[in-house]
Amino acid sequence: MASEKEAALAAAPSDAPTIFDKIIKKEIPANVVYEDDTVLAFRDIAPQAPTHILIIPKVKDGLTGLSKAEERHFEILGRLLYTAKLVAEQEGLEDGFRVVINDGPQGCQSVYHIHVHLLGGRQMNWPPG
């Protein structure tokens, strides 16, 4: 399997359904830890920490990455971050956690459907990658 960096450099935004669209439609199984009307949170299949959860909006609405955000996305962006807080509590990450949004090839984004990485369960380092 290609490294995350290689996958990000090979990825490109398109109108084709992403793996996340298929997970939302239940075409691909996922270990879901939280779901409501607007967001879905599930465990990453290649975790980078003991707890590594992806949080995605159920409707992409042109929001393929943070750099594509418009004022109309204000509510869903807030919902994604608030959901990260809820899931962190649910996962028992009271000692802290990290939230990451990769954007574009140099940001190591490999799926063009905005998503938040919730990482925890170990000591994080600084600076990151």
Side-chain angles (χ1 to χ4, degrees):
M1 187 164 133
S3 73
E4 284 298 314
K5 181 179 173 183
E6 291 167 333
L9 293 173
S14 79
D15 292 330
T18 68
I19 189 170
F20 294 165
D21 293 311
K22 294 174 183 178
I23 289 171
I24 292 165
K25 292 179 181 179
K26 311 293 188 213
E27 295 171 1
I28 295 176
N31 186 348
V32 174
V33 298
Y34 179 89
E35 182 173 9
D36 64 24
D37 291 342
T38 57
V39 299
L40 182 69
F42 53 94
R43 297 196 188 282
D44 194 300
I45 60 169
Q48 302 300 305
T51 300
H52 187 168
I53 294 169
L54 300 176
I55 305 162
I56 62 174
K58 288 185 171 180
V59 176
K60 196 173 353 180
D61 188 28
L63 194 53
T64 56
L66 190 57
S67 62
K68 302 300 181 194
E70 299 177 10
E71 190 168 347
R72 66 190 168 101
H73 298 122
F74 181 83
E75 286 186 34
I76 193 61
L77 291 170
R79 172 60 74 187
L80 290 170
L81 291 178
Y82 184 70
T83 300
K85 179 252 190 204
L86 294 177
V87 174
E89 287 177 347
Q90 175 183 303
E91 294 290 313
L93 300 176
E94 58 274 340
D95 289 336
F97 55 90
R98 179 170 287 168
V99 172
V100 175
I101 299 174
N102 300 330
D103 190 86
Q106 288 193 349
C108 212
Q109 183 178 7
S110 58
V111 179
Y112 282 87
H113 183 133
I114 195 165
H115 54 287
V116 171
H117 295 258
L118 172 65
L119 300 148
R122 68 168 168 83
Q123 177 61 54
M124 299 292 149
N125 296 308
W126 196 261

Tab-separated table of all heavy atoms in Angstrom, residues 13 28 37 43 52 64 84 87:
chain	number	residue	atom	x	y	z
A	13	PRO	N	-9.086	16.151	-6.630
A	13	PRO	CA	-10.522	16.374	-6.459
A	13	PRO	C	-11.284	16.000	-7.720
A	13	PRO	O	-10.791	16.214	-8.836
A	13	PRO	CB	-10.624	17.877	-6.202
A	13	PRO	CG	-9.252	18.359	-5.936
A	13	PRO	CD	-8.314	17.363	-6.543
A	28	ILE	N	-19.775	0.501	1.912
A	28	ILE	CA	-18.523	0.005	2.472
A	28	ILE	C	-18.694	0.020	3.990
A	28	ILE	O	-19.128	1.025	4.547
A	28	ILE	CB	-17.326	0.898	2.068
A	28	ILE	CG1	-17.093	0.841	0.567
A	28	ILE	CG2	-16.066	0.486	2.807
A	28	ILE	CD1	-15.999	1.779	0.091
A	37	ASP	N	-27.766	13.355	12.243
A	37	ASP	CA	-28.328	13.709	10.935
A	37	ASP	C	-27.313	14.342	9.988
A	37	ASP	O	-27.490	14.283	8.773
A	37	ASP	CB	-29.504	14.684	11.104
A	37	ASP	CG	-30.712	14.029	11.755
A	37	ASP	OD1	-30.796	12.788	11.764
A	37	ASP	OD2	-31.581	14.773	12.260
A	43	ARG	N	-13.852	4.782	12.984
A	43	ARG	CA	-12.439	4.512	13.234
A	43	ARG	C	-11.667	4.432	11.919
A	43	ARG	O	-12.124	3.828	10.957
A	43	ARG	CB	-12.273	3.225	14.024
A	43	ARG	CG	-12.914	3.327	15.393
A	43	ARG	CD	-12.471	2.255	16.353
A	43	ARG	NE	-13.275	2.331	17.572
A	43	ARG	CZ	-13.100	3.212	18.547
A	43	ARG	NH1	-12.115	4.075	18.485
A	43	ARG	NH2	-13.895	3.227	19.602
A	52	HIS	N	-7.972	6.814	16.702
A	52	HIS	CA	-7.887	7.603	15.461
A	52	HIS	C	-9.240	7.468	14.781
A	52	HIS	O	-9.583	6.416	14.235
A	52	HIS	CB	-6.773	7.085	14.557
A	52	HIS	CG	-6.537	7.947	13.359
A	52	HIS	ND1	-5.431	7.792	12.559
A	52	HIS	CD2	-7.245	8.978	12.810
A	52	HIS	CE1	-5.466	8.667	11.575
A	52	HIS	NE2	-6.571	9.401	11.707
A	64	THR	N	-14.812	19.960	-0.323
A	64	THR	CA	-13.847	18.878	-0.520
A	64	THR	C	-12.637	19.028	0.389
A	64	THR	O	-11.959	18.053	0.687
A	64	THR	CB	-13.389	18.811	-1.987
A	64	THR	OG1	-12.867	20.092	-2.365
A	64	THR	CG2	-14.545	18.441	-2.901
A	84	ALA	N	-16.048	16.347	17.274
A	84	ALA	CA	-14.741	15.862	17.733
A	84	ALA	C	-14.686	15.909	19.255
A	84	ALA	O	-14.208	14.967	19.905
A	84	ALA	CB	-13.614	16.682	17.119
A	87	VAL	N	-16.983	13.075	20.664
A	87	VAL	CA	-16.386	11.751	20.475
A	87	VAL	C	-15.171	11.571	21.385
A	87	VAL	O	-14.961	10.491	21.950
A	87	VAL	CB	-16.044	11.506	18.988
A	87	VAL	CG1	-15.283	10.204	18.804
A	87	VAL	CG2	-17.325	11.492	18.149
